Amino acid sequence: MNDFVPRKSANDAASYPPLSDQVFVRSQSVVSRRVAGETLIVPIRGKVGDLASIYSFNETGSLIWQALENPKSVVELIEVVEAEYSVEREQAEHDATQFLNDMLAVGLVEACPSVPVNAMELSEREEFAAGAD
Amino acid sequence: MEQLTYGAFSADLHQRQAGQRAPMQVSIEVTRRCPLECQHCYNNLPMGDQDARSREMTTEEHFRMLDELVEMGCFWLLYTGGEIFARKDFLEIYTYAKKKGFLITLFTNGTLITEKIADYLLEWPPFAIEITLYGRTRETYEALTMIPGSYDRCLRGIKLLRERGLPLKLKTVATSINKHEVVAMRQFAEEELGVDFKFDGLINPRIDCSQSPLAVRLTPEEVVALDVHNPKAPGEYRELAQREMASAAPAATDTVYICGGGFNSFAVNALGEMGICVISQQETFDVRQGLNGVWERSLLQLRNRKRTRITKCTRCRLHSLCSMCPANGEMENGDQESPVEFLCHVAHLRAAAIGVEVPEHGDCEFCVGGERYSEIVEAAQRIREKEIDVESWAAPQEMFPILNNAALAVGACGGCSAR
């Protein structure tokens, strides 16, 4: 799996930990809506990449988005994709990281601040997500 | 992941939903109270009207309605008034709606916008915010709004939103009082501020049946002269008309309503009643016990109402140039199906002024052979040759045509229960 950093700026890039060491959650600045059978992500607050756009997901994207209701590591997201579609690990890695990468670039998901993988138990992660609401 | 502009998304969704009855767009009138007393307004009530205030939907009722609108698949919301910021809880309602993921347009006169409100809107940006500007000078603006100081407050509101880069648009209602400043308002919006501008010269009677707004309505010639002076409008109207003419003549529909009202949209008024649109208020239904039931029963029944007769509108092919609709018929004539002469006059003159031939559509006094056809031809020529020149218009002699004109305050439609 390729490591990756959020696309903030070239100068900032080096200061971010690798993708595999982070935990991600949906941004509080967007909400998802089901409209006409489609999952749409609507930016609702300033500071989201492009407020003049909305985003729609394919089936895999919707699955990952659903999983990100609570903080998840990349590995967990890959496992979700693998389990749902019975695809090769390599394909699941590719799909999950690319999707995560795209979402980070436009601010739809955020890395939980300073939370390395495995340092946060599931119950704590749920608490984190609930508290942020 | 697919990133879509709102325009592309909207076009795609409307295409996919074509033919399916679903309330994609909802207009919500949060109050009819307003700090201005515009002479042309169809629904404004004084800020201090306690009776009006007590009958408005509560904050919690708005929240419940928004929850239900999500379930019903509504995606576009319009908040209108009265003046939306006349309600102290408006931002609370707005934020709740934002968090539900609606795309929200706000209609406001801008006079109550403070730095705090502008900052808040920057944090929670609307899809669009439209301010109605009533004049380009203090004298004209306040002659229409009747409130001293309102011009400066409106300009302050515009400045606060503009400074923050919010998606602002300006518009005006062209009346006999401010018609001479429409060009200056357009220049202010488009050239000084770089924002979109549009005007509407069509004024309705009040929803309480008073005809008083009609005292400041432009003549059909003035409405069309403003259209023709607008660099974009004639081309757009021509294209719309050509498209309508090129399409197969629609089979005469047997329903009163042919618009999106009751099909992919509806309105909820300040009292918590659902109607076809914000101006159609003769038949509305209480939504406090739930919107979906009203949408599926009462509004559906209204939307499917059969027309009772053939009129000159039934086979007319000028819909794209005409504002006639059942709500306008209801407000002006007390009858949804009765053609509004003013609108028919404007549509035929508009067509003549931009060179669109009108196909025969029944007994119409404004068509070839009709008793007022020559009026249309002559006025269109005067407009084209700039004998009616909007740039030479001056301020009217009489700024307050409604005052001391008791006849105009009398309800004339006869079809509704005045409220």
Side-chain angles (χ1 to χ4, degrees):
Chain A
M1 181 171 62
N2 297 325
D3 283 345
F4 123 101
V5 290
R7 293 176 200 158
K8 296 265 178 170
S9 75
N11 291 337
D12 288 346
S15 63
Y16 282 90
L19 185 71
S20 55
D21 288 355
Q22 297 179 77
V23 170
F24 300 93
V25 70
R26 292 178 189 176
S27 164
Q28 297 299 307
S29 298
V30 299
V31 293
S32 56
R33 286 281 314 267
R34 287 288 292 175
V35 176
E38 200 176 350
T39 300
L40 300 172
I41 309 302
V42 185
I44 59 168
R45 285 186 97 149
K47 300 169 194 155
V48 174
D50 188 355
L51 281 167
S53 295
I54 51 179
Y55 304 86
S56 71
F57 296 155
N58 61 16
E59 214 177 315
T60 314
S62 298
L63 179 74
I64 294 175
W65 180 256
Q66 215 163 358
L68 284 165
E69 193 170 358
N70 295 312
K72 293 274 186 306
S73 68
V74 177
V75 172
E76 286 169 317
L77 293 176
I78 292 166
E79 283 164 0
V80 166
V81 174
E82 214 178 1
E84 180 71 18
Y85 297 111
S86 308
V87 290
E88 296 292 323
R89 178 80 176 182
E90 198 179 331
Q91 182 65 46
E93 276 179 11
H94 174 267
D95 289 353
T97 52
Q98 185 180 337
F99 187 68
L100 194 56
N101 203 349
D102 288 348
M103 289 197 297
L104 281 161
V106 290
L108 304 189
V109 296
E110 298 165 346
C112 300
S114 309
V115 184
V117 175
N118 302 328
M120 192 190 250
E121 293 305 320
L122 183 62
S123 58
E124 289 175 300
R125 291 183 200 171
E126 281 165 354
E127 209 172 288
F128 177 89
D133 208 345
Chain B
M1 184 175 77
E2 191 178 4
Q3 181 171 348
L4 297 160
T5 63
Y6 286 122
F9 167 74
S10 171
D12 175 59
L13 186 61
H14 280 92
Q15 196 175 358
R16 278 189 288 134
Q17 292 285 97
Q20 292 178 49
R21 184 173 181 265
M24 302 296 297
Q25 303 160 45
V26 172
S27 302
I28 300 175
E29 183 187 80
V30 288
T31 181
R32 287 178 179 159
R33 292 174 298 122
C34 181
L36 306 184
E37 296 174 11
C38 297
Q39 298 190 50
H40 65 279
C41 188
Y42 69 99
N43 74 349
N44 60 346
L45 295 173
M47 282 290 272
D49 187 330
Q50 291 305 315
D51 178 52
R53 190 175 183 173
S54 69
R55 296 169 70 193
E56 287 168 3
M57 290 180 83
T58 65
T59 318
E60 288 68 31
E61 284 169 340
H62 274 280
F63 292 169
R64 279 200 294 277
M65 179 165 71
L66 291 165
D67 291 341
E68 205 174 347
L69 285 173
V70 170
E71 296 302 313
M72 292 167 75
C74 168
F75 197 51
W76 285 273
L77 271 192
L78 165 67
Y79 278 114
T80 184
E83 167 51 40
I84 54 174
F85 293 110
R87 273 187 77 127
K88 285 193 178 138
D89 61 353
F90 178 69
L91 284 179
E92 211 181 324
I93 295 168
Y94 170 76
T95 310
Y96 193 91
K98 280 292 293 181
K99 287 181 176 175
K100 293 286 173 185
F102 293 104
L103 297 191
I104 303 171
T105 295
L106 304 177
F107 284 0
T108 171
N109 60 44
T111 59
L112 298 179
I113 293 176
T114 59
E115 281 209 26
K116 201 173 158 192
I117 290 175
D119 284 342
Y120 194 84
L121 292 176
L122 180 62
E123 178 67 20
W124 299 92
F127 175 61
I129 181 162
E130 298 190 8
I131 288 185
T132 312
L133 182 65
Y134 297 108
R136 188 60 191 109
T137 62
R138 185 173 295 110
E139 187 192 20
T140 298
Y141 184 101
E142 293 176 5
L144 194 62
T145 66
M146 314 281 278
I147 300 294
S150 53
Y151 178 67
D152 290 337
R153 288 207 294 271
C154 173
L155 289 190
R156 181 193 60 181
I158 290 170
K159 182 169 174 278
L160 289 169
L161 299 179
R162 192 73 199 103
E163 281 171 352
R164 287 158 180 78
L166 284 158
L168 174 67
K169 294 176 183 178
L170 295 188
K171 58 189 177 184
T172 195
V173 180
T175 68
S176 59
I177 292 172
N178 66 2
K179 65 181 181 184
H180 60 293
E181 293 184 2
V182 171
V183 174
M185 286 188 266
R186 176 182 303 284
Q187 283 166 349
F188 171 62
E190 294 179 347
E191 292 166 25
E192 284 185 47
L193 302 179
V195 302
D196 285 349
F197 176 84
K198 62 186 175 187
F199 87 93
D200 191 349
L202 304 174
I203 288 170
N204 304 107
R206 286 181 62 84
I207 55 173
D208 62 8
C209 298
S210 165
Q211 301 284 299
S212 63
L214 304 189
V216 295
R217 182 153 78 178
L218 298 181
T219 64
E221 289 78 10
E222 289 169 334
V223 173
V224 176
L226 279 170
D227 286 341
V228 169
H229 186 271
N230 176 353
K232 294 178 212 153
E236 288 171 0
Y237 275 130
R238 208 172 287 117
E239 197 183 322
L240 286 170
Q242 281 164 353
R243 206 179 302 159
E244 186 176 353
M245 305 289 178
S247 63
T253 172
D254 64 349
T255 55
V256 170
Y257 292 96
I258 56 171
C259 60
F263 190 77
N264 58 22
S265 66
F266 64 80
V268 177
N269 68 22
L271 312 175
E273 297 166 335
M274 185 188 293
I276 289 280
C277 66
V278 288
I279 62 168
S280 179
Q281 295 295 309
Q282 283 189 13
E283 285 167 277
T284 54
F285 312 96
D286 190 0
V287 298
R288 285 185 165 91
Q289 300 309 316
L291 280 97
N292 198 48
V294 176
W295 166 256
E296 292 296 350
R297 287 189 293 276
S298 310
L299 208 70
L300 177 61
Q301 213 171 9
L302 178 58
R303 182 62 176 74
N304 289 342
R305 174 173 296 163
K306 304 288 183 209
R307 62 170 160 68
T308 60
R309 61 188 188 276
I310 300 285
T311 69
K312 62 178 175 177
C313 297
T314 312
R315 285 197 300 118
C316 183
R317 306 297 302 280
L318 281 186
H319 290 110
S320 50
L321 306 189
C322 185
S323 298
M324 176 57 197
C325 68
N328 278 314
E330 171 185 305
M331 288 185 90
E332 197 142 341
N333 299 329
D335 171 17
Q336 296 170 338
E337 298 179 61
S338 174
V340 174
E341 186 198 308
F342 176 84
L343 299 176
C344 189
H345 192 161
V346 169
H348 284 74
L349 181 53
R350 188 174 273 149
I354 63 172
V356 170
E357 207 170 304
V358 184
E360 187 275 330
H361 57 101
D363 187 14
C364 175
E365 69 268 38
F366 298 112
C367 281
V368 180
E371 60 189 38
R372 299 183 69 184
Y373 178 62
S374 60
E375 263 181 67
I376 296 290
V377 174
E378 285 160 21
Q381 191 174 350
R382 283 202 301 277
I383 290 167
R384 278 197 302 266
E385 291 174 359
K386 292 207 168 175
E387 273 178 53
I388 302 173
D389 181 10
V390 304
E391 293 191 30
S392 67
W393 285 346
Q397 300 274 314
E398 175 55 86
M399 280 291 204
F400 305 102
I402 296 170
L403 300 181
N404 303 318
N405 194 345
L408 289 163
V410 175
C413 82
C416 72
S417 53
R419 50 184 113 194

